[in-house]
Amino acid sequence: MIFGCALDTGNLGVSALGYSVLYGLGQRLPEAKLTSFDHSPGIRAGEVGGVAYEQLGAYRTRRIYAPHSHAAIGAALRLGLPLSPAAERIRNADAILDISGGDSFTDLYGPERLKAIAWPKLMAMRMGKPLILLPQTYGPFRSSTSRELAARICRGTAAAWARDEKSFGVLRDLLGDAFDPERHRSGVDVAFLLPTQRPVAPSGDRLQEWLKTRNEAEPLVGLNISGLLYNDPDGARSRYGFIADYRELCRRLVSRLAADGARVVLTPHVVSPTGHYESDIEASEHLAASLPAAVAARVTVAPAFLDPREVKWLIGQYDWFCGTRMHSTIAGLSSGVPTATTSYSDKAQGVFESCGAGDAVVDPRRLGTDQALDGLHSLFHDRRELAGTLHSRLPSVLKAAEERMDAIAACICRPPTGGAG
């Protein structure tokens, strides 16, 4: 049973985690019955890379009597009644796996979000099911109440992985004297193992032509623009402490790349509906429409692919990629594409450092618009050097990711004894 990486959110980073976990475990445990819990009602069959799985709704909703609501599932489990398909799956589970959306095991997004993230973990502990926390970020926790909750959960796990060394330090601190190097380990983001899939849907006349006529004089460049930041520039400054003007940075970077002869593909990685504040599609289309005609002629917006494997395939065709959404950059790094990031979170630094690309992180919280622009532009011109570094470092990163997935599969078969809940 897998929580925290639903395939129906529109956030392709979360979907990338889900597909990677299902594919990785299915390869290692071909007889396992894999269920991924999401935000849609009913039971649905799926397949990734030949691995079959089922999707099943389990989420917070005001319709507390719906069989897929957290409230109804919890009541069915407490009473031992067959009121919910999700409760039946959980009752019969050999292990509960949870990845918290990769970076949502924190109180940064508010107490209600933390309650939703904690629910499957606490439920597994109450049911006495082995709880395995997959490679993820832990914290930050700003309140003592949140921190105590997180510590109790981490102490009650059968095994837990952090996805970078900094987060591993937070996990160790939460565990205190309950830390056990056999059960608590540092890992690699599972999305490094995401398989690719060539898109079936049309990719746009201009993009198709550019993919067919790639050449060194006109490098094909991908940019991921975060709708969360672009669509709310005031929030980027007040909520995240930006010094740089994110909109202006994106616009000027596209203009510089076009002046250098690049063909620029704006590549959404969160495909929320138009009008949604997080929509990368809306941000990309707004940026493209704001460009002068001479620049716009060298820019196109990639289709809103709903499958992260298809987007990873596309990113793998670029000569250079720069993303703000972290999992868009993991798609680039894991494909060997020289990749930079405009990152406002410390989580990206550890991922890039693991690939020997720590200098490719540009932080708009610490740099002004001109400095950030110069840094990204320089990284574009140094892309061949970074490509060489990735060529030498990536095999060891992918090997580590495979070894972590081996260890996770082994925990499911022989779960270690968990701590006290």
Side-chain angles (χ1 to χ4, degrees), residues 12-25:
L12 299 187
V14 176
S15 299
L17 294 173
Y19 281 122
S20 299
V21 172
L22 290 164
Y23 180 67
L25 293 179

Side-chain angles (χ1 to χ4, degrees), residues 87-408:
E88 287 301 301
R89 297 295 178 88
I90 292 166
R91 187 177 291 117
N92 296 321
D94 294 309
I96 303 293
L97 282 62
D98 194 307
I99 200 167
S100 309
D103 63 357
S104 293
F105 196 7
T106 174
D107 60 6
L108 284 178
Y109 307 116
E112 292 305 310
R113 174 65 173 161
L114 181 58
K115 287 179 184 177
I117 290 295
W119 181 85
K121 304 171 179 62
L122 295 171
M123 176 271 303
M125 293 165 61
R126 284 194 295 267
M127 292 295 296
K129 300 292 182 180
L131 172 63
I132 299 173
L133 298 184
L134 300 171
Q136 60 188 276
T137 298
Y138 296 87
F141 299 103
R142 297 175 296 185
S143 78
S144 59
T145 301
S146 299
R147 182 179 174 80
E148 288 168 6
L149 173 64
R152 181 160 67 91
I153 289 172
C154 290
R155 286 170 174 261
T157 60
W161 276 264
R163 67 180 179 183
D164 59 64
E165 288 302 318
K166 180 174 181 179
S167 199
F168 185 52
V170 176
L171 175 61
R172 291 190 66 155
D173 190 44
L174 289 169
L175 289 162
D177 58 10
F179 174 75
D180 178 354
E182 294 298 313
R183 295 191 293 121
H184 309 122
R185 311 175 200 175
S186 181
V188 177
D189 194 292
V190 297
F192 273 92
L193 301 179
L194 180 70
T196 60
Q197 179 173 290
R198 190 183 183 106
V200 177
S203 55
D205 293 342
R206 182 177 288 184
L207 179 54
Q208 285 189 27
E209 178 62 25
W210 288 355
L211 289 169
K212 291 176 183 176
T213 60
R214 291 177 57 189
N215 62 87
E216 290 190 11
E218 297 178 298
L220 189 62
V221 167
L223 293 182
N224 163 248
I225 310 299
S226 168
L228 178 66
L229 305 176
Y230 187 95
N231 298 331
D232 183 16
D234 291 336
R237 286 189 289 272
S238 62
R239 190 175 304 115
Y240 302 109
F242 275 29
I243 298 174
D245 183 321
Y246 184 73
R247 278 195 179 187
E248 182 70 6
L249 174 62
C250 294
R251 186 186 66 79
R252 290 171 61 186
L253 178 60
V254 170
S255 297
R256 277 204 189 180
L257 293 170
D260 287 341
R263 295 165 164 176
V264 182
V265 184
L266 303 180
T267 309
H269 213 256
V270 169
V271 291
S272 305
T274 300
H276 192 281
Y277 72 99
E278 280 215 52
S279 173
D280 290 4
I281 304 168
E282 187 164 326
S284 297
E285 291 176 345
H286 183 278
L287 174 59
S290 73
L291 299 170
V295 177
R298 305 195 69 83
V299 177
T300 191
V301 179
F305 296 122
L306 298 177
D307 191 320
R309 296 169 293 176
E310 295 182 337
V311 178
K312 183 174 179 177
W313 178 89
L314 177 60
I315 291 172
Q317 310 308 304
Y318 296 150
D319 297 301
W320 185 70
F321 180 68
C322 178
T324 301
R325 304 285 189 181
M326 193 181 80
H327 278 101
S328 74
T329 65
I330 289 177
L333 293 168
S334 61
S335 300
V337 174
T339 299
T341 181
T342 308
S343 176
Y344 59 101
S345 169
D346 294 338
K347 65 189 178 184
Q349 191 68 46
V351 171
F352 273 72
E353 287 177 354
S354 72
C355 297
D359 291 339
V361 177
V362 172
D363 190 339
R365 300 171 302 175
R366 298 180 174 89
L367 300 174
T369 306
D370 290 341
Q371 291 174 296
L373 177 63
D374 289 343
L376 292 171
H377 195 219
S378 177
L379 288 165
F380 166 70
H381 283 289
D382 293 340
R383 63 189 182 279
R384 292 180 181 84
E385 180 181 347
L386 179 53
T389 300
L390 285 176
H391 180 75
S392 63
R393 293 287 293 272
L394 190 55
S396 63
V397 176
L398 295 177
K399 180 181 178 183
E402 295 281 3
E403 290 173 347
R404 299 306 184 274
M405 192 61 72
D406 291 341
I408 291 166

